[in-house]
Amino acid sequence: MQCSKCGNPKVIIKKEQSGQLLCKDCFIESIEKKAIKTIRKEKLLDKGDKVLVALSGGKDSVTTLEILNTFRQMHIIELCAVTVDEGIDNYRQDGVDIAIRHAERLGIEHKVVSLKDEYGITLDEIMQKENHKGSCTYCGVFRRTIINKAAREMGATKIATGHNLDDEVQGILMNYLEGNIDNLTKLGAKSESKAEEFTVKIKPLREIPEREIGLYVVAKELEVHFDSCPYAMQSFRGEISEVINHLAEKHPTIKYSTLRGYDKIKNVLKKELKKEFNHGRCSKCGEPAANELCKACSFLEELGM
Amino acid sequence: MQCSKCGNPKVIIKKEQSGQLLCKDCFIESIEKKAIKTIRKEKLLDKGDKVLVALSGGKDSVTTLEILNTFRQMHIIELCAVTVDEGIDNYRQDGVDIAIRHAERLGIEHKVVSLKDEYGITLDEIMQKENHKGSCTYCGVFRRTIINKAAREMGATKIATGHNLDDEVQGILMNYLEGNIDNLTKLGAKSESKAEEFTVKIKPLREIPEREIGLYVVAKELEVHFDSCPYAMQSFRGEISEVINHLAEKHPTIKYSTLRGYDKIKNVLKKELKKEFNHGRCSKCGEPAANELCKACSFLEELGM
């Protein structure tokens, strides 16, 4: 056993799809090269961008920050970060602390916003309510709203999220199975929001398997919050994740083939369905909204807030 | 417990997605109505059609024949059938015998064509070869070619296959996961072949779950071949079938939502990708072919036939 690239006998990974063996340094380089390749191919960054990283403190967002920081060091972009505290007991605080330490280490502008401060209710409190719609439904909408607002307030031109290959393929498959074509057009490496109020979102890690990001942060000795959300396995996403990983054992390239197929479909759907986004304003909070109330405000109303 | 439609206390099924309870007669009626609804909605039949049923003798093709026979009895269409004998020991002969008895019972024109007679080799013999491509690859191509040829020889204007909801959703998901966009456009209730040499294919049972077709043939006391193909579980399709059925336990409408989503995507893909089908002729057998040799002849060449 030796590194397929440099011959170093200390191999730390056998790549799932290619079967390539890599030592620590060559593995770290391969991950960074792959993210940079996605950034170039999908034109995720423009010179002079101020990129806001949605920084939970988990492996994916810390890796996103680390890789984008190389572009900052080359004075191609500016970097800032926002951390959303959803209010999940015995889980979120560790991530928030880690996010703060990373922002301090790199010396970048950083904001922590809690659901409690913003909306007067934590995710744990929402989950106590009867007839709630499931944790991920609220978390997704409230987090998105908070991050969009932070981007505007901090003058960011792009929002970078830590979505990895597994996240992206789960999202694609969930929407295929739910027959949710409108949502399908919203996935991809870069959002195509036409509304000025929505900052463009980018996903530099979209082609990197979750497992490899886990190994990357260990190899780079980056401090990350490794716990997974206590609500995650209750979700449809959790089921779909199990299904895909099960299939990938026998079909190691299945995540990539799903992604490539989706990208082709998305290109066709985009052309056909380019009806303009109806971006009115929420009559309550003034955020962009498809209906009279934005999703966040209509959830808050249902929750009696 | 009583039938949701007529109050009969002898209930034979609780429908997976609707939860409806049905007695035998109401269940039989519901299946026939559903197939007729698909035939109307998708415009599968035209008055005067001569429909060739691809009749294996299994539950799906026997049900297809049974339902299409009601249109024949009303003098809307003519009916004929073809049975392909792939040459699978201890499996195929029973199905062939059952197919012959159904054709005789209804008094319709029927042809049995074997791979051995047509190509000089059985599927079992192919599977003995080293480096074969998997049973379903050959079976699919050779069967399709034989059925297309039979349709031309018998003057059929449509070919009806027994694909049920489960088959269709499996095909959709397999192509999503393999990223096979070209094949995705070929699924659906009705083929859109522009080549005159290919008879249009229709799937009247496309919205009926496999389980309900199994119950239909029992309720109607139709003789069918219930064994499943000994090669089936080796296939990717078998794995995908397990995955979908597992998800459907918790999400009873997932097969329908996948189908509806696919139909929307297909409509968009069709418009965009309507490049003409390149229908040359196979230089060896004269069947329609995309390349110099048709798929069947190129497989035969590889097999040294």
Side-chain angles (χ1 to χ4, degrees), chain B residues 136-150:
Chain B
C136 302
T137 307
Y138 298 102
C139 185
V141 166
F142 289 137
R143 245 189 323 157
R144 190 185 64 195
T145 309
I146 288 173
I147 292 169
N148 271 322
K149 234 165 139 179

Side-chain angles (χ1 to χ4, degrees), chain A residues 28 91 99 128 195 262 272-273 297:
Chain A
I28 289 173
Y91 166 69
Q128 301 294 319
Y262 164 75
E272 268 298 312
L273 309 172
C297 285

Side-chain angles (χ1 to χ4, degrees), chain A residues 173 176-179 181 184 236 239-240 243 247 250-251 254 257-258 261 264-265 268-269 271-273, chain B residues 173 176-179 181 184 236 239-240 243 247 250-251 254 257-258 261 264-265 268-269 271-272:
Chain A
L173 198 52
Y176 279 153
L177 294 170
E178 290 172 327
I181 307 308
L184 263 184
F236 184 45
E239 281 180 73
I240 294 301
V243 161
L247 289 170
K250 215 170 135 185
H251 310 279
I254 204 164
S257 58
T258 305
K264 285 186 212 156
I265 290 177
V268 176
L269 288 179
K271 280 189 221 164
E272 268 298 312
L273 309 172
Chain B
L173 199 52
Y176 279 155
L177 294 171
E178 291 173 325
I181 306 309
L184 263 183
F236 185 45
E239 280 180 73
I240 294 300
V243 160
L247 289 170
K250 217 172 136 184
H251 310 279
I254 204 163
S257 58
T258 304
K264 286 186 211 158
I265 291 177
V268 176
L269 289 179
K271 280 188 222 165
E272 269 297 313

